[in-house]
Amino acid sequence: MAVTDEKDLQQLKKRLAELAEKAYSRNIYAYTPFLGLAEQQAYYAVEREVSYAGVRMEGGAPMCERKIIRFGDPGYEEAFPIARIEILPKTPKFAENLTHRDFLGAVMNLGIERDVTGDIFVPDGAHAVGEKGALLFCHENIADYIVENLDRVRHTNVACRRAEGEVEPENTEPGRISVTVASPRADGVISKVYNLSREESRELFNNGRIFINGIQTQNLSYQLKAEDAVTVRGFGKFIFYGQTGTSKKGKDRVEVGVYGKM
């Protein structure tokens, strides 16, 4: 369900409408594959039209961005088909410094489609593999295959196991920083957080790489509010906490919580 052009977008919107109708008419739950932020925009475009069927989105943990959409309200609860897999280096002492891209590449090399995998969390801001390796969210029907076949990430031998119970990704607390801005305009805050020029920030908006609370936006002058989640594709994600004071020059001091690159 990857969206690369307008044709893909229209096809995905049609597919979402079909799933909503299927769930409603048969009184069952119907699920999409994992959808990235770009694909989720198709849902927001038809949200009103499909809301009659009952809708819920889950990624496996609160900070997950890739999510499955579930349609239906049959009167009983059913768990989302999301499995959690720990990928652990067999010999942590000799493990390479592996990144999110390394883990994703190893999973894709198994011949698995991207839409059956969700987020991958790597300790320490997706830079180094610690003793706990990485946490992968995936569709239930592919989980056993990954556990049985994923044994190497780059040159590091790994073992996989299902994570039992309610699992929260470790080290998902953002690093808090304070920046000084003329106002809480989205383009200005993004420029300060990622050390970009205002022109570079505007280009990110124009290229569809800015998502606020999961919704793509090109509104540079959007006034950020407390708890707004801002994703900048290629740079990372931050939570806007709000103003904490005023500088001597009368500018706003604001605090944000910054996550790693995505």
Side-chain angles (χ1 to χ4, degrees), residues 21-228:
E21 173 58 27
K22 175 182 177 181
Y24 182 78
S25 61
R26 300 184 186 180
N27 198 31
I28 60 172
Y29 287 120
Y31 299 87
T32 68
F34 278 98
L35 303 177
L37 288 175
E39 289 77 38
Q40 289 170 32
Q41 305 318 299
Y43 163 69
Y44 291 118
V46 297
E47 185 174 12
R48 288 188 177 182
E49 289 89 335
V50 300
S51 61
Y52 71 91
V55 185
R56 183 175 164 188
M57 301 173 68
E58 290 286 349
M63 287 310 302
C64 287
E65 290 195 341
R66 294 180 60 78
K67 295 180 179 180
I68 289 175
I69 299 176
R70 184 181 75 181
F71 295 101
D73 187 16
Y76 61 88
E77 186 53 44
E78 180 177 277
F80 274 71
I82 299 175
R84 300 175 296 274
I85 297 175
E86 290 179 319
I87 307 173
L88 311 169
K90 288 186 176 179
T91 312
K93 180 179 179 180
F94 299 108
E96 300 166 273
N97 289 337
L98 301 173
T99 66
H100 176 281
R101 180 175 294 182
D102 294 324
F103 284 101
L104 178 59
V107 173
M108 296 297 98
N109 285 339
L110 297 177
I112 294 172
E113 296 294 331
R114 185 67 174 111
D115 64 7
V116 296
T117 60
D119 285 52
I120 302 174
F121 289 94
V122 183
D124 301 323
H127 289 294
V129 176
E131 291 186 353
K132 294 188 180 298
L135 182 64
L136 164 70
F137 294 83
C138 68
H139 198 284
E140 176 62 41
N141 64 14
I142 204 69
D144 288 341
Y145 179 80
I146 294 175
V147 170
E148 293 169 5
N149 291 279
L150 182 59
D151 57 9
R152 182 181 293 267
V153 179
R154 287 184 62 188
H155 303 295
T156 298
N157 293 323
V158 300
C160 298
R161 68 186 185 195
R162 285 176 176 264
E164 300 297 334
E166 293 298 320
V167 176
E168 291 293 335
E170 296 195 9
N171 298 322
T172 57
E173 282 299 314
R176 289 180 175 250
I177 65 171
S178 180
V179 297
T180 302
V181 293
S183 73
R185 272 179 54 129
D187 60 341
V189 176
I190 289 170
S191 296
K192 287 290 186 178
V193 170
Y194 296 113
N195 195 27
L196 302 171
S197 69
R198 290 294 279 267
E199 184 58 33
E200 289 173 324
S201 178
R202 291 190 183 100
E203 281 300 308
L204 292 173
F205 280 88
N206 294 336
N207 293 332
R209 294 171 64 182
I210 306 297
F211 298 81
I212 298 178
N213 299 323
I215 300 176
Q216 191 177 63
T217 182
Q218 293 185 324
N219 182 7
L220 290 76
S221 60
Y222 175 86
Q223 300 289 304
L224 292 173
K225 302 180 293 295
E227 302 304 321
D228 276 346

